[in-house]
Amino acid sequence: MKIKLLLTAIVLMCFQNFYAQETITTVATDSVKVKALELEKQKADEKARLEQQLKEEKKSLKAQEKAEAKVEKAQKDAEKAEKEAKKAQKKAEKEVKKIEKEQKKLESAEKAVSKNQSKLEKARKDLSKMQSKFAKNKAKGKLTPVEIEKENVKITKQQLKITEIEEDIQKSQKKLNKLR
């Protein structure tokens, strides 16, 4: 009988467990803890958002610096090109001035040659006039020995003047040839 009792007790316990109410366990949450967790979550979200914003600002700053560097480089290149252009222009102007100066020297040398040649022609005419006048007066017998000597000195001076002019012409010709 003991066995029957024991078996019945076991069966009753099984029925009791079978028909027992199911209890849902709810965890009691403290509102302070929930708010603290929400604040921490908000702080974490805010921190992540600020870090992302900081990264974006750094990227935009780097891009801006690169753009400024490109602009500065372009300005420096433009200034350098402008300086080189000015330098080339000055060099060209110097060359033009040099050529003009050489042309002026050449023209002045040519003028000097022509001027000396005209002086030579004039001096030769004067010499021939002096000689013919002297020959006329001598033939007429109007001249004294002192006047004859004076006339000879004048003629000799004129001849010296002609030789000096011829030397000047040679110098001018050499200078002209050198310039050409």
Side-chain angles (χ1 to χ4, degrees):
M1 204 118 151
K2 282 185 178 183
I3 293 182
K4 279 187 182 181
L5 244 144
L6 186 65
L7 279 175
T8 347
I10 291 176
V11 169
L12 281 177
M13 279 173 49
C14 284
F15 278 118
Q16 188 178 9
N17 279 339
F18 184 71
Y19 287 112
Q21 284 185 352
E22 201 173 308
T23 57
I24 300 172
T25 56
T26 58
V27 179
T29 54
D30 192 8
S31 64
V32 174
K33 283 186 180 179
V34 169
K35 287 182 182 178
L37 288 174
E38 285 178 8
L39 283 175
E40 285 180 26
K41 188 177 179 182
Q42 285 177 350
K43 285 181 183 178
D45 290 342
E46 185 70 20
K47 186 177 179 183
R49 188 180 58 78
L50 288 174
E51 287 176 356
Q52 184 67 24
Q53 187 179 4
L54 184 63
K55 285 181 184 178
E56 289 174 1
E57 287 177 0
K58 283 183 180 179
K59 284 182 182 179
S60 66
L61 185 62
K62 282 184 181 179
Q64 188 178 11
E65 287 176 353
K66 284 182 181 180
E68 288 176 358
K70 285 182 181 180
V71 168
E72 287 179 15
K73 186 177 179 183
Q75 286 177 344
K76 286 181 181 179
D77 290 342
E79 288 174 0
K80 188 176 180 181
E82 185 178 334
K83 284 181 182 178
E84 288 178 4
K86 285 183 180 179
K87 196 174 186 181
Q89 184 180 3
K90 284 183 180 180
K91 189 174 181 180
E93 288 175 359
K94 280 185 179 180
E95 289 294 323
V96 168
K97 285 182 181 179
K98 185 178 178 183
I99 291 170
E100 288 175 355
K101 190 175 182 182
E102 288 177 2
Q103 286 177 346
K104 285 181 181 179
K105 282 183 180 181
L106 187 65
E107 288 174 6
S108 67
E110 288 174 350
K111 284 181 183 179
V113 168
S114 64
K115 184 178 176 183
N116 285 335
Q117 285 177 346
S118 65
K119 276 185 183 180
L120 180 65
E121 289 176 17
K122 185 178 178 186
R124 284 186 178 163
K125 284 180 183 178
D126 288 344
L127 177 66
S128 65
K129 282 182 183 179
M130 281 185 199
Q131 286 175 341
S132 64
K133 189 175 181 184
F134 175 66
K136 263 188 192 178
N137 288 336
K138 192 176 180 185
K140 289 183 180 177
K142 293 183 179 178
L143 298 175
T144 62
V146 174
E147 289 176 342
I148 291 174
E149 234 8 83
K150 284 183 182 179
E151 284 296 319
N152 281 334
V153 170
K154 274 187 178 180
I155 291 172
T156 308
K157 282 184 182 179
Q158 190 66 23
Q159 287 172 341
L160 284 174
K161 189 175 178 182
I162 289 173
T163 55
E164 287 176 2
I165 292 172
E166 286 174 347
E167 288 174 3
D168 288 344
I169 288 174
Q170 288 176 353
K171 287 179 186 177
S172 298
Q173 286 287 347
K174 283 182 184 179
K175 188 176 180 181
L176 181 64
N177 290 337
K178 218 182 234 188
L179 291 174
R180 287 184 182 172

